[in-house]
Amino acid sequence: PLPIADRCWSLLSPDGDTYVSEPPAAPLTTADGVPLKVSLRRTVRRSKIKALLLVAPLLVFLFIAFLMPLFEMLWRSVDNPEVSTHLSRTVSALEGWNGESLPDEAVFAALAEDLREGQQERNLGLLSSRLNYEKSGMRSTISRTARRVGTLEPPYRESLIEVNDTWGELDTWKLIQREASPYTVSYYLAAMDRQLSPDGEIVKVPEYMQIHATLFWRTLWMSAVITGLTLVLGFPVAFLLANLPMRHSNLLMILVLLPFWTSLLVRTTTWIAILQSQGVLNDVMVALGVIADEARWQMIHNKMGTIIAMTHILLPFMILPLYSVMKTIPPSYMRAARSLGGKPFLSFRRVYFPLTIPGIAAGGILVFILSIGYYITPALVGGQSGRFITNYIAYHMQTSLNWGLAAAIASILLFVVIICYLVFNRLIGVDKVKLG
């Protein structure tokens, strides 16, 4: 037989004694002589490049508008450049300090030089604010010392302590040494009402300062309550939408979609007019004799106002996923259950309700995540007891200017949402969610 490497077909001659071979057929080519396989590979490659170019603007937009701010937020939550930048000489002089007694004269001299330079360049504001986050009073200490540092004479240790007693406290120098690192977890600890002690241990902040952990729990349970209320109120509406005649269901659908055509700010302020003590609802109940005029209900600027207003605003986000699933359930299923002897409630519980689980899951996760991140409505109608953690993110961004703490709180909120999503995927499965 002929070798396989010859790549020819071996056939017996008609007399059965000798072998003959014939060459393989020529490879298929295109009209211009290019092998068909090569031409197909080029075509597929060109198609992929065209598809990539089509989606490239969207990818660039997502990177600039979503991923970059997200990375910036995560970075800012651990970024800690103030001490290492503005007290560089002091940080270098503190290397090797045992922390058991006040630093030596060289460290105080380095501090005086750093403060003198910072006063000349007018850049001590960030430094004083950063240290003040960790120890109250450091802003005034640095400002007062910087104003007088130009008149100080050696020995700087006694001079600085004379200007402000804070420089004679061991905790102050431990704080500077600890915050000299370019990265910190202090913002995350503060977001959970914790802080680092002078010895580096994690401890709770004083009780009058404990607010963020309470706000996290309040945000989660109020979001769960709002999700449950939208389900209770939205399920019957979605059922009617799916089973009414077309002319009636279209009218009801318009009423469901009508809030989307109205400004969120207008809807929220309308609830203020309805729920306040001298509002429409209280006036109607007083006129009907349900309550006395001097016993009007306070339904605004508290948790009740936030729950009522947000339930109304987020109700369409529950109705629409439910409707999209219920519309696909054949009415014959319920008729078959009734014909088999099932009572109405039993037929609903055993046949109809399980088929609506994908819609409930989609509406529930959508409303819950939207509730966690809401800001305008709790700020307007929540008062002190109905505000969410998002309102304090805005406070730290706009008022206290503690952007690191705001970024840490927002990062924790992001992690909470991711955990909720993973738990939801584990228990129900994202593949079962239907939004339309």
Side-chain angles (χ1 to χ4, degrees):
L2 296 175
I4 297 178
D6 289 345
R7 297 184 180 274
C8 59
W9 292 340
S10 300
L11 301 173
L12 287 173
S13 62
D15 57 7
D17 295 328
T18 61
Y19 287 96
V20 296
S21 62
E22 63 182 49
L28 298 177
T29 60
T30 59
D32 54 357
V34 179
L36 183 59
K37 289 184 178 180
V38 176
S39 179
L40 289 175
R41 284 198 298 268
R42 291 177 179 175
T43 303
V44 172
R45 184 167 58 253
R46 284 195 295 266
S47 300
K48 291 181 178 180
I49 293 175
K50 290 180 181 179
L52 180 60
L53 292 176
L54 287 174
V55 301
L58 177 60
L59 295 177
V60 173
F61 174 79
L62 289 177
F63 180 77
I64 296 176
F66 179 72
L67 293 180
M68 285 184 62
L70 188 63
F71 292 147
E72 175 66 20
M73 178 190 71
L74 295 174
W75 170 256
R76 190 174 288 275
S77 66
V78 297
D79 190 25
N80 189 42
E82 292 84 2
V83 175
S84 59
T85 300
H86 301 294
L87 294 180
S88 57
R89 299 180 183 88
T90 307
V91 170
S92 298
L94 278 174
E95 292 181 0
W97 177 55
N98 56 18
E100 297 178 357
S101 59
L102 289 178
D104 55 21
E105 173 65 18
V107 176
F108 282 88
L111 175 63
E113 183 63 26
D114 285 332
L115 293 180
R116 186 179 296 111
E117 180 180 328
Q119 180 69 6
Q120 293 174 355
E121 298 181 0
R122 304 290 182 182
N123 58 7
L124 293 178
L126 293 176
L127 171 66
S128 59
S129 297
R130 178 67 189 94
L131 293 178
N132 198 71
Y133 295 150
E134 304 298 326
K135 183 179 180 180
S136 180
M138 287 300 297
R139 179 183 286 109
S140 60
T141 297
I142 293 177
S143 300
R144 186 186 310 169
T145 306
R147 286 194 299 267
R148 297 182 56 183
V149 71
T151 62
L152 297 181
E153 297 292 339
Y156 289 106
R157 178 171 178 173
E158 287 74 12
S159 300
L160 288 172
I161 294 176
E162 183 180 353
V163 171
N164 197 296
D165 295 339
T166 305
W167 301 118
E169 298 176 4
L170 197 60
D171 293 349
T172 301
W173 296 100
K174 289 182 177 180
L175 171 63
I176 294 175
Q177 187 182 48
R178 186 182 73 234
E179 295 303 323
S181 172
Y183 309 104
T184 182
V185 296
S186 299
Y187 293 129
Y188 282 100
L189 294 178
M192 299 306 296
D193 295 333
R194 301 294 191 273
Q195 65 181 0
L196 289 173
S197 67
D199 297 327
E201 298 178 355
I202 299 177
V203 297
K204 289 185 178 181
V205 299
E207 187 174 355
Y208 70 91
M209 297 175 60
Q210 296 179 11
I211 184 173
H212 297 114
T214 302
L215 284 171
F216 272 115
W217 287 114
R218 179 195 297 173
T219 301
L220 291 176
W221 82 259
M222 288 183 67
S223 298
V225 170
I226 292 167
T227 303
L229 289 175
T230 56
L231 175 60
V232 172
L233 297 175
F235 197 96
V237 176
F239 181 82
L240 290 176
L241 281 171
N243 293 278
L244 284 177
M246 185 63 66
R247 63 179 183 276
H248 298 304
S249 64
N250 287 340
L251 178 60
L252 187 57
M253 178 61 75
I254 293 175
L255 297 178
V256 171
L257 297 178
L258 187 61
F260 289 120
W261 305 336
T262 308
S263 169
L264 174 62
L265 187 60
V266 172
R267 284 181 282 166
T268 303
T269 52
T270 301
W271 277 111
I272 296 177
I274 294 174
L275 298 177
Q276 62 182 333
S277 299
Q278 302 299 324
V280 177
L281 186 58
N282 271 290
D283 288 343
V284 170
M285 289 191 294
V286 170
L288 296 176
V290 177
I291 59 175
D293 186 57
E294 62 275 6
R296 290 172 176 261
W297 292 354
Q298 181 64 31
M299 296 179 288
I300 202 67
H301 302 310
N302 51 27
K303 296 177 182 178
M304 181 182 294
T306 300
I307 291 175
I308 292 175
M310 288 186 61
T311 299
H312 166 255
I313 291 171
L314 296 176
L315 188 58
F317 294 97
M318 178 64 76
I319 293 176
L320 295 178
L322 285 171
Y323 166 73
S324 67
V325 172
M326 292 179 178
K327 195 65 177 176
T328 63
I329 301 176
S332 58
Y333 286 6
M334 289 294 290
R335 291 196 297 267
R338 294 291 302 276
S339 67
L340 293 174
K343 296 181 179 181
F345 180 75
L346 180 63
S347 301
F348 172 82
R349 182 174 64 85
R350 298 289 297 274
V351 176
Y352 193 85
F353 183 79
L355 295 175
T356 63
I357 293 296
I360 295 174
I365 193 67
L366 185 62
V367 172
F368 184 75
I369 291 178
L370 288 175
S371 300
I372 289 178
Y374 244 63
Y375 163 70
I376 296 178
T377 303
L380 293 177
V381 304
Q384 289 297 325
S385 63
R387 291 189 178 183
F388 282 8
I389 190 64
T390 49
N391 300 115
Y392 278 80
I393 295 176
Y395 167 78
H396 290 303
M397 289 291 294
Q398 300 172 359
T399 304
S400 70
L401 301 181
N402 192 347
W403 291 4
L405 180 56
I409 296 174
S411 301
I412 293 175
L413 197 62
L414 174 64
F415 298 149
V416 169
V417 171
I418 293 176
I419 291 173
C420 292
Y421 172 81
L422 294 177
V423 172
F424 173 84
N425 185 39
R426 180 72 175 179
L427 297 179
I428 298 178
V430 180
D431 57 326
K432 297 182 180 179
V433 171
K434 295 182 180 179
L435 293 174

